[in-house]
């Protein structure tokens, strides 16, 4: 084996997929790169990205962004990255300064720099700027990495513009928020317009800063209806322009240019609604690996609602109760597959609840909480007189607590199972009064359903031509039964404090767990690390 092949084998050790080594030298096309230099930079630059490494290896280390025929690929990538602000992504992250659209540079460093920009941009705009699991311990969502091999194949053999355009989410909610973000960005005065010094500007105030305010508002289309008698005087016409601007920016429209108005106008602050939009777009990028147009269950924790959606349209909805605003009881975010409807469920009390809520009562009175059976690890009911509860602590209690099926069962008369490592599910509840509350964060993490029977009928439609009759027939038996869905469907437990409604207008919900602040902090750190 010659030295050329030896070097290729060493490259393979860092993740490059290579084949047909004897023929590689002959197959290596112009422009030919110095292989030693390329190998060294490959190890440093593309080895951490298995997709890039695999593509370059499978294509005999030939360049993608060098040569006259690479000009469309270079231009397509630079044009795509230029849209970063439209997606709420920091443009400085992609370091495109000095990269040329025309194919004049022939050095390896330029090739690898383009490759790095492509990999970073593709994953950011497709899967999100930050790793969801690192924003919050209760965010269990995982994203699917971009298939860089397929992307580069499309860019080199097909239409690079189309390949890059397919990366961001195509969900209507994402596209609508992208429009809204662009509109809000247009409310920041262009560079070169005099900034307005901090202060409070209202009727009766005058001075050169009022003239700057007037000019800055006019630069974004909010000029006064008539020419002012004195440009430095804050008059009724300027108050009307400020009010119109505040309404467009989502700021309280009092006609007074204070800190919030000036921060938005000067571009010093993204503003709370802009931040919420950017966070919501990031959350939708985390879901980009899922088909949100298929039939699915959508549980939005902050809105306290669960829906069935088909083709993007809501066909069923119900109020829900979610986990308490407590680190131990919050409802996590993740996606799974709804597989079972379980009439007459037994409630296997989670050990955390048993230890915190029930064990102390059993130590004081072994016959307390009589609605619960004490069972061993094999599921056998153990007579309470045979147990000395005072021998056990929260950590070494060897038994489990279980409630028999009944209308008073903590899970009500039906639960809905989508197996997951966190033992989260949807279920009925005997505590119906909580669904009338505006704030519905009361559970221990699972999701209580306001219309559980109606949800069961919807889910069982693939099991029977009469899903309602089928459900009640099984329910009447009185014992726990697991009905496997003939039409299992995805379920997404999500956290959107801002999302467009069916009419395209934004719906805002309370940040019940304070998760938005942590996502925004992570996004800011990612942006700062790139500057």
């Amino acid at each position: 084996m010659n030295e050329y092949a030896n070097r290729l084998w060493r490259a393979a050790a860092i993740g490059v997929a290579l084949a047909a080594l004897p023929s590689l030298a002959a197959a290596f096309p112009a422009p030919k790169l110095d292989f030693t230099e390329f190998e060294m930079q490959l190890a440093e630059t593309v080895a951490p990205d298995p997709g890039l490494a695999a593509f370059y290896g499978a294509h005999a280390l030939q360049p993608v962004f060098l040569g006259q025929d690479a000009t469309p690929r270079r231009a397509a990538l630079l044009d795509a990255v230029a849209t970063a602000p439209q997606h709420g992504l920091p443009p400085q992250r992609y370091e495109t300064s000095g990269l040329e659209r025309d194919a004049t540079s022939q050095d390896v460093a330029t090739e690898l720099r383009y490759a790095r920009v492509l990999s970073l941009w593709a994953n950011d705009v497709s899967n999100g700027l930050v790793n969801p699991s690192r924003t919050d311990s209760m965010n269990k969502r995982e994203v699917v990495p971009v298939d860089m091999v397929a992307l580069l194949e499309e860019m080199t053999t097909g239409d690079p513009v189309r390949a890059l355009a397919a990366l961001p989410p195509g969900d209507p909610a994402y596209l609508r928020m992208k429009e809204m973000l662009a509109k809000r960005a247009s409310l920041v005065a262009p560079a070169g317009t005099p900034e307005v010094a901090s202060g409070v500007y209202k009727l009766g105030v005058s001075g050169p800063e009022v003239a700057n305010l007037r000019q800055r508002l006019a630069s974004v289309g909010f000029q006064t209806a008539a020419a002012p008698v004195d440009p430095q005087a804050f008059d009724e016409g300027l108050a009307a322009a400020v009010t119109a601007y505040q309404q467009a920016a989502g700021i309280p429209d009092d006609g007074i240019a204070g800190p919030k108005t000036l921060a938005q106008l000067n571009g010093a602050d993204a503003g709370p609604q802009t931040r919420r939009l950017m966070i919501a777009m990031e959350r939708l990028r985390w879901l980009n690996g899922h088909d949100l147009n298929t039939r699915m269950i959508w549980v939005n924790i902050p809105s306290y609602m669960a829906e069935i959606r088909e083709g993007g349209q809501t066909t069923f909805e119900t109020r829900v109760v979610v986990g308490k605003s407590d680190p131990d009881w919050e409802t996590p975010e993740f996606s799974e597959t709804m597989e079972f409807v379980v009439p007459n469920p037994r409630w296997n009390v989670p050990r955390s609840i048993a230890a915190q809520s029930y064990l102390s009562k059993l130590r004081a009175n072994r016959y307390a909480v009589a609605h619960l059976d004490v069972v061993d690890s094999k599921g056998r009911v153990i007579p309470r007189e045979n147990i000395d509860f005072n021998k056990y602590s929260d950590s070494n209690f060897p038994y489990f607590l279980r409630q028999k099926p009944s209308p008073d069962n903590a899970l009500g008369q039906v639960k809905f199972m989508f197996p997951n490592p966190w033992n989260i599910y949807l279920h009925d509840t005997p505590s119906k009064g909580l669904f009338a509350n505006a704030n519905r964060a009361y559970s221990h993490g699972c999701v209580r359903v306001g219309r559980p029977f109606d949800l069961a009928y919807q889910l069982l439609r693939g099991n029977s031509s009469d899903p309602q009759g089928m459900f009640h027939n099984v329910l009447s038996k009185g014992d726990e039964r697991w009905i496997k869905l003939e039409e299992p469907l995805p379920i997404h437990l999500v956290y959107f404090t801002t999302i467009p409604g069916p009419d395209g207008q934004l719906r805002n919900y309370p940040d019940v767990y304070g998760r938005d602040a942590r996502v925004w902090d992570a996004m800011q750190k990612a942006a700062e690390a790139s500057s």
Side-chain angles (χ1 to χ4, degrees), residues 132-140 327 330 332 422 515 518:
S133 64
R134 294 180 182 175
T135 63
D136 192 281
S137 62
M138 295 304 286
N139 193 330
K140 313 298 184 181
E330 292 180 6
W422 308 284
R515 291 182 186 172
R518 292 188 281 275

Side-chain angles (χ1 to χ4, degrees), residues 183-196 212-222 245 261-269:
K183 180 179 179 181
R184 299 186 71 81
S186 70
L187 298 174
V188 176
T193 310
E195 288 196 4
V196 185
N212 289 344
L213 173 63
R214 193 181 296 275
Q215 182 178 351
R216 205 158 179 87
L217 283 168
S219 73
V220 290
F222 292 87
Y245 176 83
T261 302
L262 296 181
Q264 173 70 36
L265 189 58
N266 288 332
D269 185 0

Side-chain angles (χ1 to χ4, degrees), residues 334 338 345-350 411 414-420 422-428 445-449 491 493:
F334 63 97
M338 179 66 74
R346 296 182 296 182
W347 182 40
N348 296 301
V349 182
L411 305 185
V414 61
K415 70 177 178 179
F416 307 90
M417 298 296 294
F418 41 104
N420 61 83
W422 308 284
N423 199 29
I424 298 295
Y425 44 86
L426 274 57
H427 65 86
D428 182 17
C446 289
V447 178
R448 305 176 190 174
V449 180
I491 177 169
L493 278 71

Side-chain angles (χ1 to χ4, degrees), residues 129-131 134-136 275 278-279 282-283 286 511 514-529:
L129 180 63
V130 298
N131 186 324
R134 294 180 182 175
T135 63
D136 192 281
R275 288 196 297 272
M278 293 169 70
I279 292 166
E282 177 76 355
R283 291 184 178 281
W286 294 343
D511 187 2
R515 291 182 186 172
D516 272 7
R518 292 188 281 275
V519 173
W520 181 251
D521 182 60
M523 293 175 69
Q524 291 301 102
K525 287 179 179 177
E528 292 166 4

Side-chain angles (χ1 to χ4, degrees), residues 209-264:
E209 292 301 327
V210 173
N212 289 344
L213 173 63
R214 193 181 296 275
Q215 182 178 351
R216 205 158 179 87
L217 283 168
S219 73
V220 290
F222 292 87
Q223 59 268 19
T224 55
V229 175
D230 179 2
Q232 295 194 13
F234 197 110
D235 54 20
E236 293 286 353
L238 184 54
V242 170
T243 299
Y245 176 83
Q246 290 170 329
Q247 291 171 344
I251 299 169
D253 55 343
D254 55 9
I256 299 172
K260 289 184 178 179
T261 302
L262 296 181
Q264 173 70 36

Side-chain angles (χ1 to χ4, degrees), residues 1-10 35-36 39:
M1 184 176 294
N2 59 30
E3 180 59 23
Y4 186 77
N6 280 330
R7 287 200 293 268
L8 289 180
W9 273 117
R10 291 200 300 274
F35 182 77
T36 302
E39 181 185 43

